[in-house]
């Protein structure tokens, strides 16, 4: 199995759900999703290099290179019903993969699910944070709920964590898909009502990129509602996976 898959896709499931984590995160963000969604959905969290079980591997910092690699590994699994869920940075990865599939005439996801991310034509979140000191960046991330305050007391751990975040933010900075291009697949948008980093209206701007049906879902919680409100989110995700609009077909 490819190291990019944190679990083996189930060929017998009705739909495969590929999940892409936030900057500084890892595949374990989605560890509980399979149990909640059940056997009809095969949850496949994507594990990028340089974290958890891939900690010794060099991280990728360029979106085009990353999508090249991911398409090599995901390609054989995208010929049957599938969906993408991406959170924050992961949303841009999921969107970039969908744009690449559209450009090459590949089958598009049956649902593209975007969580806690500004629309790509808007300014990138934390674009200036790359130049902050480790402590400044760490305190900012703690404030948003993206890092444990404990790390601030251990400079080596903090340096490792902020280095990963900076590399992941570079992926967002190098995203070539900033223009508005209608995607002819259903798009589900998830925003946290108390997210101070990405406002609800900024998530809603993704609807300008939708060439098919789209819907905005506002959940309680901040930027990391994927953890804080996982049950509420998963109820929505489960419902969306059973709602492919009548008459729509993948390309």
């Amino acid at each position: 199995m490819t190291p990019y898959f944190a679990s083996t896709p189930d060929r017998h499931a009705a739909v495969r759900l590929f999940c892409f984590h936030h900057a500084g995160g890892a595949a374990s963000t989605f560890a509980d999703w399979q149990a909640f969604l059940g056997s009809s959905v095969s949850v496949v969290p994507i594990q990028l290099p340089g974290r958890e079980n891939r900690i010794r591997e060099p991280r990728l910092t360029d979106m085009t290179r990353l999508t090249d690699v991911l398409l090599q590994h995901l390609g054989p699994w995208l010929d049957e019903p599938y969906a993408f869920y991406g959170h924050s940075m992961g949303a841009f990865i999921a969107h970039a993969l969908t744009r690449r599939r559209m450009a090459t005439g590949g089958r598009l996801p049956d649902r593209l699910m975007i969580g806690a991310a500004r629309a790509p034509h808007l300014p990138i979140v934390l674009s200036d944070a790359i130049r902050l000191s480790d402590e400044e960046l760490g305190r900012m991330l703690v404030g948003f709920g993206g890092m444990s305050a404990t790390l601030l007391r251990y400079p080596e751990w903090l340096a490792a964590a902020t280095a990963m975040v900076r590399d992941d933010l570079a992926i967002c900075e190098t995203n070539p898909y900033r223009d508005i291009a209608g995607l002819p697949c259903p798009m589900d948008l998830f925003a946290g009502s108390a997210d101070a980093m990405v406002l609800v209206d900024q998530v809603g701007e993704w609807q300008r990129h939708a060439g098919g049906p789209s819907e905005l879902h506002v959940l309680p919680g901040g930027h990391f509602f994927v953890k804080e409100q996982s049950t509420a989110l998963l109820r929505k995700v489960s419902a969306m996976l059973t709602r492919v609009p009548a008459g729509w077909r993948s390309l």
Side-chain angles (χ1 to χ4, degrees), residues 195-219:
D195 188 346
M197 189 185 305
V198 179
L199 304 181
V200 171
D201 289 348
Q202 294 172 332
V203 179
E205 281 286 301
W206 279 94
Q207 292 182 314
R208 297 179 61 186
H209 297 256
S214 65
E215 188 173 355
L216 174 63
H217 311 271
V218 181
L219 300 171

Side-chain angles (χ1 to χ4, degrees), residues 135-160:
E135 183 173 354
E136 290 171 330
L137 179 54
R139 292 190 181 282
M140 178 181 293
L141 294 170
V142 169
F144 285 122
M147 181 179 289
S148 170
T150 302
L151 291 178
L152 297 176
R153 300 200 298 267
Y154 299 92
E156 290 186 5
W157 294 0
L158 178 62

Side-chain angles (χ1 to χ4, degrees), residues 13-36:
V15 61
R16 297 163 188 156
L17 175 60
F18 298 94
C19 302
F20 304 88
H21 59 73
H22 56 277
S28 59
T29 298
F30 308 102
D32 299 332
W33 284 36
Q34 185 63 73
F36 188 99

Side-chain angles (χ1 to χ4, degrees), residues 53-185:
N53 63 308
R54 304 187 68 187
I55 189 65
R56 297 186 182 279
E57 299 178 44
R59 290 186 289 269
L60 296 173
T61 59
D62 179 79
M63 180 68 85
T64 299
R65 173 59 180 153
L66 176 59
T67 52
D68 284 343
V69 171
L70 286 175
L71 285 174
Q72 292 175 14
H73 291 269
L74 269 67
W77 300 94
L78 303 181
D79 57 350
E80 295 181 6
Y82 72 95
F84 288 153
Y85 176 85
H87 196 84
S88 198
M89 173 190 75
F92 298 117
I93 296 173
H95 173 249
L97 289 170
T98 303
R99 287 285 301 267
R100 288 282 296 273
R101 296 283 290 178
M102 184 172 70
T104 58
R107 180 187 178 115
L108 299 186
D110 288 80
R111 303 209 76 98
L112 174 60
M113 302 183 182
I114 300 294
R118 290 179 183 174
H121 64 276
L122 298 178
I124 297 170
V125 170
L126 299 181
S127 60
D128 296 331
I130 295 176
R131 290 175 286 278
L132 296 177
S133 69
D134 290 349
E135 183 173 354
E136 290 171 330
L137 179 54
R139 292 190 181 282
M140 178 181 293
L141 294 170
V142 169
F144 285 122
M147 181 179 289
S148 170
T150 302
L151 291 178
L152 297 176
R153 300 200 298 267
Y154 299 92
E156 290 186 5
W157 294 0
L158 178 62
T162 54
M164 181 188 299
V165 171
R166 288 190 180 92
D167 284 349
D168 286 351
L169 290 176
I171 293 173
C172 302
E173 290 279 359
T174 56
N175 180 18
Y177 300 106
R178 305 291 302 277
D179 61 309
I180 295 174
L183 292 172
C185 58

